[in-house]
Amino acid sequence: MFEQTTVSLSVLAQDAHNLSAAEFEQRYGASFLVHAGTLDTGMSPLLRTLTDRDNMAAWGGGEALQVFLVRPKASNVFPDFISIGRAANNDVVITHPSVSKFHAYLRRQPEGLRLYDAASANGTFSDNDRVAVKGRGAPTILTSGVSLRFGMVDVMFLGVEQLRGLAQTLVQQLPPAASSPLVANSR
């Protein structure tokens, strides 16, 4: 189980502006999966922001922006392993019926995060190319800005600098009252 805290989008943007990249990364992590639209996220460790629909045209006109923290939960005994799936025991929980209980996973390597499909029912894709199941091909090494799909859920993988820029841009586009709560995984 993880503890949740509530942070507004304006606070996230303020942190992006006021904290150094290292401080921001220590607080929120170095990697993020950004989803535009709504999901039944249940108990996902995510940052969630409801945004002005008109300002989200670049994100497909979604009603919500969800930013999943890509890092192991405190209970994860494998610090270089990050699980992604529908079940609550995953590090990144995406509660959508097209996402398998244990859908995919990331391994931290010196060259970056490697993405593997966990033999999911609906596949994992990177820029529309199917991601290999471990042992059946080379893993996908993630770079910031790459488009990913877990089952039918599209996300964008972003590094800390890109997320900081996105947070600042969104807050500049929204009136102060439009900044809604974010739910963040806190340790």
Side-chain angles (χ1 to χ4, degrees):
M1 192 72 150
F2 61 91
E3 199 175 293
Q4 291 187 340
T5 61
T6 301
V7 182
S8 71
L9 177 58
S10 59
V11 168
L12 182 64
Q14 185 177 9
D15 283 349
H17 179 72
N18 294 330
L19 298 176
S20 69
E23 292 168 326
F24 187 89
E25 183 174 330
Q26 183 176 17
R27 183 170 293 174
Y28 297 106
S31 304
F32 308 89
L33 297 176
V34 179
H35 172 73
T38 57
L39 288 175
D40 174 20
T41 54
M43 296 191 48
S44 300
L46 58 87
L47 298 172
R48 182 179 187 171
T49 308
L50 297 178
T51 59
D52 180 345
R53 292 178 195 199
D54 295 333
N55 290 323
M56 292 304 292
W59 289 86
E63 297 102 27
L65 177 67
Q66 298 173 348
V67 181
F68 295 83
L69 303 178
V70 178
R71 63 182 181 187
K73 288 182 179 178
S75 60
N76 185 336
V77 296
F78 304 105
D80 296 331
F81 180 90
I82 301 166
S83 61
I84 301 168
R86 192 178 69 237
N89 63 335
N90 286 290
D91 297 305
V92 177
V93 180
I94 304 173
T95 54
H96 188 273
S98 70
V99 176
S100 296
K101 289 179 184 178
F102 173 48
H103 195 96
Y105 62 96
L106 298 162
R107 298 291 313 250
R108 289 192 191 279
Q109 301 292 319
E111 66 275 8
L113 286 173
R114 292 178 176 220
L115 175 64
Y116 297 90
D117 184 77
S120 64
N122 294 311
T124 302
F125 299 84
S126 173
D127 285 336
N128 292 319
D129 294 326
R130 191 168 192 113
V131 172
V133 175
K134 186 169 184 173
R136 298 187 200 156
T140 299
I141 298 175
L142 297 182
T143 57
S144 188
V146 70
S147 175
L148 302 173
R149 189 172 75 239
F150 301 100
M152 301 297 290
V153 178
D154 292 311
V155 297
M156 181 173 285
F157 177 79
L158 293 179
V160 67
E161 285 303 319
Q162 291 74 23
L163 182 75
R164 291 176 72 205
L166 175 64
Q168 290 174 335
T169 299
L170 287 176
V171 167
Q172 290 170 0
Q173 293 176 353
L174 299 175
S179 296
S180 335
L182 294 162
V183 179
N185 184 13
S186 174
R187 293 183 231 202

